[in-house]
Amino acid sequence: MRKTLSQLMLTFLIAISIYACEQANNNKLIVNGLQEPVEIIRDEWGINHIYAKNQHDLFFAQGYAAAKDRLFQFEIWRRQATGTVAEILGERELKRDIGTRLFKFRGDLSEELNHYHEDGEEIINAYTQGVNAYIEEILATPDQLPIEFKILNIVPEKWTSDVVISRHQGLLGNIEEELEIGQAVARLGVDKVKDLSWFHPKEPDLSIDPVIDQELLFDDILELYKAYRKPVQFKKSDILPQYRDSIKENSVATLIEDNDASFSIGSNNWVVSGELTENGNTYMANDPHRTIAIPSLRYMVHLVAPEWNVIGGGEPEIPGISIGHNEYGAWGLTVFETDGEDLYVYELNPENNQQYLYKGEWEEMNVITETFKVKGKEDVKVDLFYSRHGPVTYVDSVNNKAYAVRCAWLEPGGSPYLASLRMDQAKTWEEFREACNYSHIPGENMIWADKEGNIGWQSVGIAPIRRNFSGLVPVPGDGRYEWDGYLPIIQKPNIENPSVGYFASANQNITPEDYEHWDAIGFTWADPFRGDRVEEVLSSGKKFTMEDMMDLQVDYLSIPARTLVPYLLDLPFTDKVAAAKEKLRGWDYKLEPNSIEAAIYVAWENEIRSLAASRFIPDSGKEILGSIQMQKILDWIIAPDRRFGFNPSLGRDQFLAESFQNGIAYLEERLGENMNNWQYGQEKFKHTYMAHALGGLVNEELKAKLDVGPLPRGGNSYTPGSTGGNNRQSSGASFRIIVNTGDWDATVGTNGPGQSGNPDSPFYSNLFEPWAKDQYFPVYYSRDKVEAVSADKIVLSPKK
C-alpha cells in the first residue's frame, strides 16, 4: 500500500535514530551502492562537478545529485512516465495514464538501453540506483522533503530504467498538426490550405484518399495522445487545506499560452572556425528554446571519471550531457523538422471491431490489459489496442472505423537525448558523426567544433521514408501507404568545415538544394528570421570574440520590423497614431527592454498577425488553423495580390494602417494614454514571471517562496534572443552555452532560474535575475578553477 507523507512522519523518530548515512563529518556521506568514494564539488552558481573513479559510480552520483536537486520534478516525471498520475490526482488524470501506457515502449529493454551506449544498460541502471539511493536517504528523514511533497501529502517512489527511457517529454513529431491539416483540407480544400500555409522546400500532396470519410476526422481521435503529452496541472483540491490559498476558488495551476505560434518557437546554434575569431579558436554556441518554467528544463553538471570528462546541460532525469563539451570538442543542437508520426484510418469488421482490413484481409488487433490505480476510486482495468502500425487511439464502433498512430520513436533508441551518451566521449568529428548515427529522437541539427580547428553539422533523427504520400494528412491503414524503412542518419544533410567558415541553424529549412533524399525530409519549418539574423552577423566578415557570441545569442534585432516599418512611414495618420508612427522613424529595429519604439512595433506586429488570421482564414477554418506564419504574411505584404482587393497595393496599405491603429488602441487600453509609459519589457507588456506548478494555488507566503519574478524582458519570437510571443514569456532559452575550444575555462552559460528545484535551496533562483538581464556566468572545467569557486564539497563513500 502506498504510504502518505503523514504516515511516514509517524516513523520519523525511529528512523532517524538508526539512520547512518551522514557521519560526524557533515561533508561525508555513506551511500549504499557505490563501489568507491566520489567527490562532488558544487560551484557558486550551483553546478555539481562530480569526480568518480569508475563509470558506474560516476552515473550513480549523477543520479543521486540530480535527484537531490530536483526531487519533486523527478517524482512528477516518474508518474508521467509510468502512467500513475491518477494515483495522486484522481480520476481526471486517468486518460493521461491510459495514453501513457498506450504509448509505452514495449520492446526488449536490454536492446533499448544498449542502443544509447555500448554500456548503456550499466550506465542507466547505475543512474537509477543513484536516484533511488537519494530517495531512500530522504525518506528516512521525511521532514526534510521539499515543500511540494508536504503540500500534496505524497512521497517520492523508486525509479526503474524504463522511467529514464520514457518518451513522454520528447519533441516527437507532427501528429496533431497532421490531423489539423486533414481537418482543414476537409473544410477548405487543398488549394486554400496550401495558400494559407508555408510548406517548403518541396510541394506536399495534401489530398485525402477518397476511402477516408473526411467528416469523421472531427471526432476526438487523438484524445489519448494529447492527454499523454500535456503538462500536469494541479487543482486546489489536490493540496492539503493548511497550504491552500483561501481566496481563489476552484483554481487550476497552469501556464496559459495565448500568442506563441508553434513555428516561432525553436533554438539557435552555430559553430565558427578559427579563421573568423580573433584568437584563432573554434567556437560553439547553443541556446535551445523550450518552455520557460521553474525549475528549469535543463540541468547542468560536470562528469569526470576514467574515459569521461564532459560538462554542459541536459534534461535532469537523463544521464549524460546533451549539450556541452569534453576535452576534445563541443556540440549543440537545434530541432531539424522530422516527421516521425502518421495517422492511419482503418475499416473495421462489422462483426468484430477488433479486426481491421489490411491488404484485403481482416487482421486482429493486439490487446494488452492494464490496471490503473485512481485516487479515491476502485482500480480500473483498461484494454489497450494495437494495430500493425501502432497504438490505437480511437475506435468508432458506430461507423466501424479505428485510428492508430505510427510512431518512429517507439523503435529501439527513441528516448529523447539519451544517445548523447556516445557523443560525450567523441574525440574527433568522425567519432562524433558515428555517435550521431544513434540519435533517433528528436530530429536535430547537431553541430561540432573541436580544438583541432574542425567544425561540422550533421542532422539526426529517425526519418521514415514515404514514397507515395507526404505524411501531412491521415491515410488509410489498408496497406497502400507504408513507410519504406528509415533513412540512415548519416545520409541526412551534413557538412564538414564549410568554406564560409561557419555553420548556423535556427529551426529554419537549411537543407541543401542539391540534397537527394527528399522523401525523408519534412515540409514545415520555423520562420527564417532568427536564422537570417544569425547568418547576417556571422557573414559580416569581422573577427569574432566570445563577447560577440554572447551579444548574438541575446540579439533583439527584428528582421520583420526592419521589413515592415518602411511600409508604414508614408501612410497618413492623425493625432496620437501619427505621433506613434513618427517614433519608429529612425528606430534601430531592436526590441530592447524599456524601448517605447519596441512596444509600438510589437503591438502592431501582433495586430498584423491577428488581422491576417481574421481576414484571410475563412470562418469554417478559423478554429482549425488559428494563425498564419509570419513569413507567409510578409510575403503577401511585399507582393500584394487580390486577397487585398481589386487594388492590391492600396488594400495592403489599408490593412497595415488598420492593424497599426489597432496596435495603438491596444497600448492605450493596456498601458494608458501617456505614450511615455509605453515601455517594452514591463509587467503589463513583456516580462518574465516563472510560476511554480503549485504557485497559483497556495497561500501568499508559499507563493512568494515558489514563484520568481517579474522582471523585464526584450525580444520576441522572431529575434535571436527569443522570448516568445506572449506578454509573459513562456518560451525561449533558459539554458545557453558558448564554448571556446582553445580555452575550456572560457566557457560561459546561463540556466535560469537556478540549478535546484528545491525552494529552500540557495540555488533555486540565484540565476534568475542575471538570466533575465542576459548576463552569463563562467562554466569552469579545470579542477583548479572549480576549486577556486567552490561553494560546497561532499564525499559520497560506499557502505562497507
Side-chain angles (χ1 to χ4, degrees):
M1 181 178 177
R2 184 176 62 90
K3 289 185 178 181
T4 66
L5 178 58
S6 300
Q7 290 169 322
L8 277 173
M9 288 295 290
L10 293 175
T11 63
F12 167 59
L13 291 176
I14 298 172
I16 195 62
S17 67
I18 62 173
Y19 183 60
C21 184
E22 187 164 349
Q23 303 299 293
N25 177 356
N26 60 15
N27 286 325
K28 184 177 181 181
L29 301 176
I30 304 299
V31 180
N32 189 29
L34 284 173
Q35 298 171 1
E36 298 179 86
V38 176
E39 186 174 8
I40 302 178
I41 301 176
R42 184 159 215 158
D43 67 30
E44 61 186 69
W45 300 280
I47 299 176
N48 284 317
H49 302 257
I50 301 174
Y51 300 90
K53 297 178 181 177
N54 61 75
Q55 179 175 273
H56 170 275
D57 288 352
L58 179 67
F59 289 100
F60 181 103
Q62 186 187 6
Y64 176 94
K68 188 174 184 177
D69 270 340
R70 302 289 186 96
L71 190 60
F72 181 65
Q73 189 179 24
F74 268 51
E75 176 59 12
I76 298 304
W77 171 292
R78 185 192 66 79
R79 290 190 174 278
Q80 287 180 279
T82 56
T84 54
V85 179
E87 185 178 343
I88 61 169
L89 299 185
E91 194 171 21
R92 73 175 192 267
E93 292 290 351
L94 179 58
K95 285 185 178 176
R96 173 201 299 281
D97 290 347
I98 293 171
T100 297
R101 308 272 185 95
L102 182 65
F103 286 94
K104 177 182 178 179
F105 174 77
R106 295 184 181 275
D108 181 87
L109 188 57
S110 290
E111 178 187 4
E112 164 78 358
L113 299 180
N114 288 321
H115 172 92
Y116 305 108
H117 191 276
E118 60 183 5
D119 299 327
E121 191 164 14
E122 175 192 331
I123 289 170
I124 295 168
N125 285 338
Y127 183 84
T128 59
Q129 289 164 16
V131 172
N132 291 336
Y134 181 71
I135 291 173
E136 289 179 5
E137 178 183 316
I138 196 66
L139 289 181
T141 56
D143 67 316
Q144 296 179 24
L145 279 165
I147 187 65
E148 297 97 331
F149 292 95
K150 300 170 185 177
I151 292 172
L152 296 170
N153 193 30
I154 62 173
V155 294
E157 296 183 20
K158 297 289 189 66
W159 278 45
T160 53
S161 56
D162 60 347
V163 174
V164 176
I165 56 114
S166 170
R167 280 79 157 141
H168 74 271
Q169 90 295 358
L171 300 171
L172 300 178
N174 73 334
I175 196 67
E176 294 183 55
E177 178 192 15
E178 182 176 322
L179 180 56
E180 288 171 359
I181 293 173
Q183 292 170 340
V185 168
R187 287 286 181 263
L188 305 176
V190 170
D191 291 343
K192 191 61 179 178
V193 172
K194 285 188 175 182
D195 176 59
L196 294 171
S197 305
W198 192 45
F199 298 120
H200 66 288
K202 300 296 182 180
E203 184 82 7
D205 180 3
L206 300 186
S207 58
I208 297 178
D209 192 291
V211 168
I212 294 177
D213 184 339
Q214 297 181 17
E215 287 304 308
L216 298 181
L217 295 178
F218 292 88
D219 289 350
D220 202 355
I221 292 167
L222 295 177
E223 180 184 24
L224 292 176
Y225 179 93
K226 292 177 181 178
Y228 160 61
R229 301 280 286 142
K230 69 181 181 181
V232 174
Q233 296 180 342
F234 297 94
K235 292 186 175 182
K236 186 180 289 188
S237 57
D238 301 326
I239 294 174
L240 290 180
Q242 62 266 37
Y243 299 108
R244 294 178 189 169
D245 176 4
S246 60
I247 300 174
K248 299 173 188 171
E249 295 296 330
N250 303 318
S251 52
V252 177
T254 183
L255 181 63
I256 298 174
E257 301 205 2
D258 53 30
N259 198 30
D260 260 339
S262 61
F263 288 119
S264 70
I265 301 173
S267 309
N268 308 318
N269 69 10
W270 59 84
V271 281
V272 180
S273 84
E275 296 174 359
L276 300 183
T277 65
E278 280 195 358
N279 56 24
N281 300 326
T282 58
Y283 291 162
M284 189 285 296
N286 192 195
D287 53 303
H289 307 161
R290 296 284 296 276
T291 298
I292 295 296
I294 188 166
S296 62
L297 175 71
R298 310 288 178 182
Y299 181 75
M300 300 181 75
V301 69
H302 184 188
L303 304 173
V304 185
E307 304 300 322
W308 297 88
N309 190 359
V310 58
I311 191 170
E315 298 194 5
E317 304 88 348
I318 300 171
I321 300 293
S322 56
I323 302 165
H325 73 84
N326 57 26
E327 63 265 54
Y328 303 100
W331 58 93
L333 56 86
T334 65
V335 167
F336 180 90
E337 294 284 349
T338 302
D339 182 359
E341 297 173 328
D342 277 322
L343 184 61
Y344 285 87
V345 184
Y346 303 100
E347 184 73 26
L348 294 181
N349 185 347
E351 306 299 322
N352 180 357
N353 65 10
Q354 293 186 25
Q355 292 181 337
Y356 60 96
L357 193 65
Y358 185 77
K359 292 188 175 179
E361 297 183 358
W362 296 116
E363 192 162 302
E364 288 280 346
M365 294 184 189
N366 294 325
V367 183
I368 297 175
T369 302
E370 290 275 355
T371 300
F372 299 87
K373 293 186 179 300
V374 180
K375 182 180 180 181
K377 302 282 185 178
E378 295 292 323
D379 290 357
V380 177
K381 286 191 175 183
V382 176
D383 288 336
L384 307 178
F385 297 97
Y386 297 85
S387 74
R388 63 166 44 239
H389 296 116
V392 175
T393 58
Y394 184 68
V395 175
D396 179 356
S397 56
V398 174
N399 295 291
N400 295 316
K401 304 292 182 186
Y403 303 81
V405 180
R406 187 170 188 185
C407 313
W409 44 269
L410 285 178
E411 299 281 1
S415 183
Y417 305 112
L418 256 178
S420 58
L421 283 168
R422 294 179 183 268
M423 301 176 193
D424 292 350
Q425 293 184 296
K427 297 180 175 64
T428 63
W429 164 242
E430 291 74 22
E431 289 186 12
F432 183 75
R433 282 196 76 203
E434 172 61 23
C436 285
N437 268 320
Y438 296 87
S439 188
H440 284 182
I441 293 290
E444 292 170 330
N445 296 294
M446 298 302 307
I447 56 170
W448 169 269
D450 63 35
K451 65 180 183 180
E452 302 302 323
N454 300 299
I455 61 172
W457 160 55
Q458 175 67 58
S459 59
V460 303
I462 189 168
I465 299 170
R466 298 175 178 87
R467 301 294 189 195
N468 65 327
F469 65 112
S470 68
L472 288 180
V473 293
V475 293
D478 57 14
R480 291 179 293 126
Y481 297 89
E482 297 294 336
W483 295 351
D484 190 11
Y486 300 104
L487 182 70
I489 286 175
I490 212 74
Q491 293 182 25
K492 295 186 79 171
N494 61 85
I495 197 167
E496 179 183 3
N497 292 324
S499 59
V500 294
Y502 65 88
F503 173 84
S505 72
N507 311 111
Q508 82 278 36
N509 172 48
I510 49 175
T511 310
E513 292 184 5
D514 60 355
Y515 186 67
E516 297 179 355
H517 305 289
W518 291 106
D519 47 15
I521 297 292
F523 300 91
T524 59
W525 303 86
D527 291 284
F529 313 121
R530 289 181 290 108
D532 288 349
R533 174 58 178 164
V534 171
E535 182 86 13
E536 182 176 273
V537 172
L538 294 182
S539 64
S540 65
K542 72 170 292 184
K543 296 283 189 177
F544 296 105
T545 65
M546 287 288 284
E547 288 72 22
D548 293 324
M549 300 293 95
M550 288 184 265
D551 289 343
L552 183 53
Q553 276 194 337
V554 298
D555 182 282
Y556 291 144
L557 186 138
S558 168
I559 285 182
R562 195 169 64 189
T563 304
L564 286 167
V565 168
Y567 288 97
L568 180 75
L569 294 179
D570 292 333
L571 299 184
F573 298 104
T574 60
D575 302 328
K576 185 172 290 184
V577 180
K581 181 194 76 171
E582 289 306 311
K583 278 279 189 182
L584 299 183
R585 197 178 296 277
W587 176 48
D588 62 5
Y589 310 116
K590 293 181 179 179
L591 307 184
E592 300 285 357
N594 301 314
S595 166
I596 293 174
E597 294 86 350
I600 292 170
Y601 169 74
V602 172
W604 179 39
E605 181 183 274
N606 290 343
E607 292 297 333
I608 287 174
R609 291 183 57 223
S610 177
L611 187 59
S614 174
R615 185 167 296 181
F616 301 132
I617 300 175
D619 289 343
S620 58
K622 279 184 168 60
E623 289 189 6
I624 304 168
L625 295 178
S627 64
I628 303 171
Q629 262 186 276
M630 192 65 187
Q631 180 61 52
K632 191 77 173 180
I633 298 171
L634 283 189
D635 289 343
W636 295 339
I637 290 171
I638 293 168
D641 58 18
R642 286 298 180 92
R643 81 185 67 244
F644 289 106
F646 289 110
N647 185 333
S649 294
L650 177 62
R652 182 268 318 278
D653 290 348
Q654 291 172 341
F655 171 88
L656 293 175
E658 181 180 346
S659 56
F660 189 70
Q661 290 167 333
N662 292 345
I664 301 310
Y666 170 87
L667 291 173
E668 286 187 307
E669 179 182 353
R670 191 169 187 87
L671 303 179
E673 294 188 3
N674 187 345
M675 195 182 298
N676 292 325
N677 295 328
W678 291 1
Q679 292 87 3
Y680 197 56
Q682 57 177 289
E683 189 170 352
K684 291 184 178 180
F685 195 28
K686 203 60 179 183
H687 68 285
T688 179
Y689 182 90
M690 294 190 184
H692 189 282
L694 300 174
L697 306 175
V698 296
N699 60 52
E700 287 301 314
E701 181 182 355
L702 276 175
K703 180 181 175 65
K705 187 187 190 79
L706 297 176
D707 296 354
V708 296
L711 285 175
R713 295 293 280 151
N716 72 354
S717 299
Y718 307 124
T719 55
S722 177
T723 56
N726 290 333
N727 284 339
R728 169 183 156 193
Q729 183 181 357
S730 56
S731 67
S734 57
F735 167 79
R736 303 185 188 97
I737 192 167
I738 304 172
V739 181
N740 172 352
T741 66
D743 181 1
W744 304 121
D745 285 324
T747 298
V748 295
T750 71
N751 195 31
Q755 280 287 101
S756 177
N758 185 343
D760 288 319
S761 168
F763 302 108
Y764 180 69
S765 60
N766 63 309
L767 302 179
F768 175 67
E769 185 170 345
W771 165 80
K773 293 180 177 179
D774 293 333
Q775 297 170 354
Y776 292 74
F777 60 84
V779 182
Y780 288 135
Y781 187 67
S782 63
R783 180 69 183 250
D784 59 338
K785 286 281 191 180
V786 172
E787 293 272 8
V789 293
S790 170
D792 181 56
K793 295 182 184 181
I794 62 171
V795 175
L796 306 180
S797 295
K799 188 175 183 179
K800 297 179 180 178

